[in-house]
Amino acid sequence: MIQVKSAKDIKSMMKACELSQQVLMYAGEIMKAGMSTLELDRHIHDFILKHGGKPSFLGLYGFPGSACISVNEELIHGIPSGNKIIKDGDIVSVDVGACVEGFHGDNAYTFTVGSVLPETQKLLKTTEESLYEGIKMARKGNRIGDIGNAIQTCCEKKGYFIVKKYIGHGVGKDMHEDPEVPNYGKPGRGPRLIPGMTIAIEPMVNMSTESVKVLDDNWTVTEGNGKMCAHFEHTVLITEGDPVIMTQISH
């Protein structure tokens, strides 16, 4: 059942999304070669607590970290580890959410560390562009399929592959709510968007195949051929007018 938020709900959720945005930006600022993903996760954890929130991911479905930190061919759900050291030339996806006043924010960004290959930079640029193409369609009266189609079209015309096994979602009092928000679809299909809906739009894009593999830790999802992949995400509010990006990151 889709949850339509009240003005009071949205006010609380804005606080959660603001903190989610701040901690994601903080992660990008402190990330450096030589740092383990576990060290990065501990900084993220402490930042959220210091600023009055709770890490949304910690313990969610049994996840052991405060953020999903996925490196290079890892697409999503990377478990922070002291043995995983970030290196120059890596790309690092950080997916993190904070809970404030009973509501969650959710956002992700794939960061570059040092000098990254041009072909990888192109993948990241296209994936981020597809996120904003999807957000453009998150308007009153449109349907979920309009969002997915915009994302899919943007990525596939550049030769990349949409991962269909994992999708976006509603977000609010629960981290994962209805409706499902696929990164593919047909225009005019799916649930209609109405003001007060809050959804996480999150294109997950592979360089060489739409298939993925799950590692033996039962969490980490990798690009099916071991190539690079990217993940970007915002929490978005449907309004009477333009969509509001609740987790807007300033560049």
Side-chain angles (χ1 to χ4, degrees):
M1 182 178 178
I2 296 173
Q3 304 293 324
V4 176
K5 278 68 176 184
S6 67
K8 181 181 178 182
D9 294 341
I10 292 168
K11 186 175 180 179
S12 293
M13 199 163 166
M14 282 291 193
K15 295 177 184 179
C17 287
E18 181 180 5
L19 180 52
S20 297
Q21 171 208 7
Q22 289 173 346
V23 71
L24 186 60
M25 293 177 68
Y26 172 70
E29 290 168 0
I30 65 170
M31 185 186 300
K32 61 183 179 180
M35 174 183 283
S36 74
T37 59
L38 180 60
E39 181 182 355
L40 179 59
D41 185 71
R42 286 174 173 165
H43 284 297
I44 288 169
H45 176 89
D46 292 345
F47 185 98
I48 294 173
L49 294 182
K50 180 181 177 180
H51 290 83
K54 296 179 181 178
S56 296
F57 292 1
L58 185 60
L60 183 66
Y61 312 123
F63 189 76
S66 293
C68 298
I69 305 176
S70 309
V71 181
N72 294 334
E73 76 281 358
E74 298 172 352
L75 178 67
I76 52 173
H77 303 163
I79 296 176
S81 169
N83 295 321
K84 189 180 295 180
I85 307 301
I86 298 169
K87 302 184 295 295
D88 186 89
D90 283 347
I91 58 172
V92 183
S93 167
V94 179
D95 186 359
V96 63
C99 183
V100 178
E101 296 180 2
F103 285 87
H104 297 274
D106 192 8
N107 55 184
Y109 195 92
T110 303
F111 297 96
T112 59
V113 180
S115 180
V116 172
L117 292 173
E119 63 184 41
T120 302
Q121 294 174 345
K122 182 182 174 184
L123 170 67
L124 301 189
K125 181 180 178 181
T126 300
T127 305
E128 187 173 15
E129 285 177 355
S130 78
L131 170 61
Y132 288 98
E133 289 300 309
I135 290 171
K136 287 179 185 177
M137 303 306 294
R139 304 182 67 89
K140 174 185 176 182
N142 282 356
R143 294 184 180 271
I144 290 293
D146 297 313
I147 297 172
N149 181 262
I151 293 170
Q152 182 177 19
T153 300
C154 180
C155 293
E156 290 184 350
K157 73 180 181 182
K158 297 288 182 67
Y160 300 121
F161 297 82
I162 293 293
V163 173
K164 296 181 178 178
K165 187 174 181 180
Y166 299 94
I167 58 179
H169 51 90
V171 58
K173 287 186 176 180
D174 293 319
M175 174 54 71
H176 297 113
E177 298 182 347
D178 292 332
E180 296 184 339
V181 186
N183 298 304
Y184 59 93
K186 296 182 178 180
R189 301 288 182 89
R192 190 175 297 279
L193 302 174
I194 60 176
M197 289 174 62
T198 48
I199 55 176
I201 302 175
E202 51 177 324
M204 290 161 269
V205 181
N206 283 350
M207 185 169 282
S208 71
T209 175
E210 73 173 52
S211 70
V212 293
K213 296 178 181 178
V214 180
L215 299 186
D216 291 341
D217 61 19
N218 293 320
W219 278 104
T220 308
V221 177
T222 66
E223 211 263 8
N225 292 325
K227 303 294 185 181
M228 293 294 190
C229 46
H231 179 208
F232 290 83
E233 177 183 22
H234 274 311
T235 297
V236 177
L237 169 67
I238 311 301
T239 73
E240 292 287 348
D242 293 336
V244 173
I245 303 174
M246 303 175 82
T247 49
Q248 181 66 65
I249 300 173
S250 301
H251 291 282

